[in-house]
Amino acid sequence: MTELPATTQKKLGLVIDLDTCVGCHACVISCKGWNTENYGAPLSDQDAYGADPTGTFLNRVHSYEITPEDGPAQLVHFPKSCLHCEDAPCVTVCPTGASYKRAEDGIVLVNESDCIGCGLCAWACPYGAREMDAAEGVMKKCTLCVDRIYNDNLPEEDREPACVRTCPAGARHFGDLGDPDSAVSQLVEARGGMDLMPEQGTKPVNKYLPPRPKQDRAAETDTRAPQLKPVAEDTKGFFSWLDKALDRLPGGASDPDKGGS
Amino acid sequence: MHPAPSVIVFTSLSGLGFGLLVFLGVGLPPVTGWVALVFYLIAYGLAVGGLLASTFHLGHPERALKAFTQWKTSWLSREAWLSVAALLVMAVHAFAAVFLDSVLTLVGWTGAALSLVTVYSTSMIYAQLKTVPRWNQPLTPVHLLSLSIAGGALLAGQTTLAALLLTLAAAVQVAHWQMGDSALSRSGTDLSTATGLGPGTVRAFEPPHTGTNYLLKEFVHVVGRRHARKLRLIALLFGYGLPVLFLLFPGAGHVLGALAVVSHLAGLVVSRWLFFAEAEHVVGLYYGKRVA
């Protein structure tokens, strides 16, 4: 049913560290791999080797350039997938009940055999977390690898979402964000984890850890700058003569501090 | 938003059809027999044709009946129920009028009310979406309802009333555009809140993939501002201006009436195309496609 549960026993979700993510897209690939080979309709590609390739992805990595009010500019890699919102607008708009939020762990799922492919849930999601599969005509979204995390056939260390398991930088963390003592909750607490688009009122479960402020190294450059000035002021030879001769031409002398003339 | 032809046709035609049913239900004009048959064929053709068109954009039309199950939360599901209820109740009214030469007043008024609520539920599918600030405003239902009623009056041959309602709908249309133009910036959602990477400036540096994707195709339709202005004028002229002029023309007969209907339909489709094409979904922010 598309009525949201008032509370969920657990709030399983991801914590994504924007300070650590290196933008390698390994999570994108492992997600596509696992979710193509396992639960539900495969994530299809169209014209994969042609001029205009497109495809379904449940996880995509953007890159942003930020210039803080004080401090140097930074490049931030930004993985984005379903945030498994507590107040998920994608679930309540579904006319068929295909979309639902599980009361036991808060995972938002699509029952593909009930999905009519109207696309309204994707319209209702502010994050672009849902994509209609062009081959199957049903809505695809992150399942938090529900077929891994409870899967007794997998070794225990593999019972976490594929994106988390594969991340070489350790930028992705999985756990119960409803439990204040869990490792992920502690991490959110310590690093000031944040919600995306809080004003949309979706109450996302997934949290993002902001990039740590970078040291401003401009001052260090300044302290070394005097050492970079020419050591010998009384130069000799052909180039010295040429330099002085050019300085005497109309247009003024070159400034050795600024370089060029 | 991607202006999908099936959705434009559906909302335009079914809006007109249910608008006409409202007037037939309350007995404006009070028709029976063959004349009633023609009126009802037009109304049902538009309403049902529109509903059928809407199934063309479904990924799995064969499962469409499942859309009746979630009326508790989903406006789309409510629309399904209300449209079927309106069409069934009005069918009883139509049968009595066409074949029994009798007017069932209570049934007619119930059908008229259901037709109105159907259009309202359609409008709420759009108005409920916080993700599209241009739609997420109280004027959206007013806009779609006023257009439907005005078009219904026009089709029902209510000359004076239609002219009045079209003028009213035009005013609502302009107000909806005005409010819509600043809706995204007033919504408070921008790239800074989308990424949490403020304060300071945030700029989209690189998208996730070199190619396009479902999200960009579905939600990031960019219409040129200059074209939008021209199209708005065309919509106003054909959808509202010319029909009112034709209706107010002294001794306006069936020819001018038909011209008014054709002109209104053309303007309506342009207005509805703009309704989708100009709507900015906030997901575009992640792709640096919205200047809020």
Side-chain angles (χ1 to χ4, degrees), chain B:
Chain B
M1 304 292 288
H2 169 64
S6 62
V7 179
I8 291 172
V9 168
F10 155 58
T11 56
S12 303
L13 295 189
S14 75
L16 267 184
F18 283 111
L20 178 55
L21 284 178
V22 170
F23 283 91
L24 294 175
V26 299
L28 290 173
V31 283
T32 53
W34 285 108
V35 186
L37 182 68
V38 173
F39 267 113
Y40 279 106
L41 279 179
I42 294 172
Y44 274 82
L46 290 170
V48 177
L51 286 176
L52 285 179
S54 75
T55 60
F56 289 143
H57 86 287
L58 295 181
H60 283 274
E62 77 280 7
R63 300 176 188 155
L65 281 180
K66 293 189 187 215
F68 285 90
T69 60
Q70 304 301 314
W71 50 273
K72 276 188 190 169
T73 64
S74 169
W75 278 107
L76 188 51
S77 192
R78 287 170 198 162
E79 183 201 39
W81 274 109
L82 289 165
S83 59
V84 169
L87 291 174
L88 285 179
V89 171
M90 284 308 290
V92 174
H93 190 255
F95 185 84
V98 174
F99 298 107
L100 309 176
D101 252 1
S102 63
V103 176
L104 308 174
T105 313
L106 189 64
V107 176
W109 278 84
T110 310
L114 282 169
S115 302
L116 265 186
V117 184
T118 301
V119 177
Y120 175 73
S121 66
T122 307
S123 70
M124 283 310 290
I125 293 171
Y126 305 100
Q128 69 176 334
L129 295 171
K130 271 192 188 171
T131 49
V132 185
R134 186 182 283 278
W135 292 346
N136 188 225
Q137 51 163 322
L139 270 183
T140 297
V142 181
H143 165 52
L144 294 180
L145 270 170
S146 63
L147 249 180
S148 165
I149 297 171
L154 183 60
L155 288 179
Q158 305 299 305
T159 319
T160 322
L161 193 59
L164 193 74
L165 288 171
L166 279 170
T167 313
L168 201 71
V172 176
Q173 169 81 81
V174 172
H176 190 260
W177 281 331
Q178 288 272 316
M179 296 293 286
D181 285 345
S182 60
L184 181 60
S185 55
R186 279 185 289 117
S187 75
T189 298
D190 55 26
L191 188 51
S192 238
T193 70
T195 59
L197 295 172
T201 57
V202 188
R203 199 169 66 92
F205 181 76
E206 207 171 30
H209 293 85
T210 50
T212 185
N213 63 33
Y214 167 74
L215 301 171
L216 287 167
K217 283 189 239 173
E218 185 77 2
F219 301 118
V220 192
H221 186 90
V222 179
V223 53
R225 199 175 284 271
R226 269 189 317 148
H227 285 309
R229 200 167 299 157
K230 273 185 216 161
L231 286 168
R232 282 181 181 186
L233 284 175
I234 290 171
L236 273 182
L237 183 70
F238 284 90
Y240 309 93
L242 286 178
V244 170
L245 210 65
F246 291 146
L247 289 173
L248 295 183
F249 202 78
H254 273 92
V255 177
L256 275 181
L259 273 178
V261 169
V262 170
S263 170
H264 177 70
L265 199 59
L268 175 62
V269 169
V270 175
S271 159
R272 201 53 48 87
W273 185 87
L274 282 168
F275 183 79
F276 288 96
E278 285 195 293
E280 308 100 332
H281 194 290
V282 295
V283 78
L285 290 166
Y286 285 108
Y287 289 86
K289 298 283 188 187
R290 302 276 180 248
V291 184

Side-chain angles (χ1 to χ4, degrees), chain A:
Chain A
M1 290 297 279
T2 52
E3 283 169 275
L4 290 166
T7 52
T8 57
Q9 289 165 28
K10 284 182 174 181
K11 294 179 191 173
L12 294 187
L14 301 175
V15 173
I16 294 167
D17 191 342
L18 298 178
D19 194 64
T20 311
C21 176
V22 295
C24 70
H25 292 239
C27 53
V28 178
I29 303 305
S30 63
C31 167
K32 178 107 174 175
W34 179 266
N35 288 293
T36 288
E37 293 155 9
N38 293 281
Y39 165 82
L43 304 174
S44 71
D45 290 317
Q46 282 68 42
D47 196 19
Y49 303 100
D52 188 22
T54 56
T56 311
F57 286 81
L58 310 183
N59 179 28
R60 292 179 184 265
V61 180
H62 296 251
S63 296
Y64 297 102
E65 178 194 86
I66 59 171
T67 311
E69 278 163 348
D70 48 343
Q74 282 176 259
L75 187 62
V76 177
H77 301 292
F78 193 95
K80 187 162 59 61
S81 54
C82 174
L83 307 174
H84 298 279
C85 303
E86 284 181 60
D87 204 346
C90 56
V91 170
T92 51
V93 297
C94 176
T96 69
S99 279
Y100 60 105
K101 185 172 175 70
R102 306 201 328 165
E104 60 267 39
D105 52 18
I107 300 179
V108 176
L109 289 175
V110 176
N111 177 356
E112 289 174 7
S113 59
D114 276 354
C115 177
I116 56 173
C118 69
L120 192 55
C121 55
W123 290 24
C125 172
Y127 309 108
R130 288 171 170 249
E131 299 191 13
M132 179 98 75
D133 189 84
E136 292 286 336
V138 293
M139 196 55 72
K140 299 296 295 184
K141 70 175 294 300
C142 162
T143 67
L144 215 57
C145 283
V146 69
D147 48 354
R148 286 175 67 96
I149 59 177
Y150 298 115
N151 192 339
D152 292 336
N153 295 321
L154 295 177
E156 197 167 342
E157 63 268 29
D158 283 339
R159 288 178 213 160
E160 58 181 13
C163 57
V164 176
R165 185 75 181 103
T166 206
C167 178
R172 304 177 71 96
H173 307 270
F174 165 70
D176 180 8
L177 286 142
D179 172 9
D181 298 324
S182 69
V184 280
S185 294
Q186 301 277 317
L187 192 57
V188 169
E189 180 70 27
R191 293 278 308 281
M194 61 195 180
D195 290 346
L196 305 186
M197 291 187 188
E199 71 285 353
Q200 287 271 335
T202 54
K203 292 193 264 171
V205 169
N206 284 14
K207 301 285 184 239
Y208 283 76
L209 307 179
R212 294 183 175 93
K214 294 286 177 280
Q215 272 184 330
D216 192 342
R217 297 190 179 272
E220 292 174 31
T221 316
D222 274 352
T223 57
R224 285 185 218 144
Q227 299 167 16
L228 298 174
K229 281 187 173 176
V231 181
E233 295 289 346
D234 50 339
T235 49
K236 292 184 183 102
F238 171 72
F239 283 109
S240 173
W241 170 83
L242 184 63
D243 188 39
K244 284 171 191 151
L246 287 172
D247 277 351
R248 276 195 292 276
L249 286 175
S254 64
D255 183 347
D257 283 341
K258 285 185 183 155
S261 57

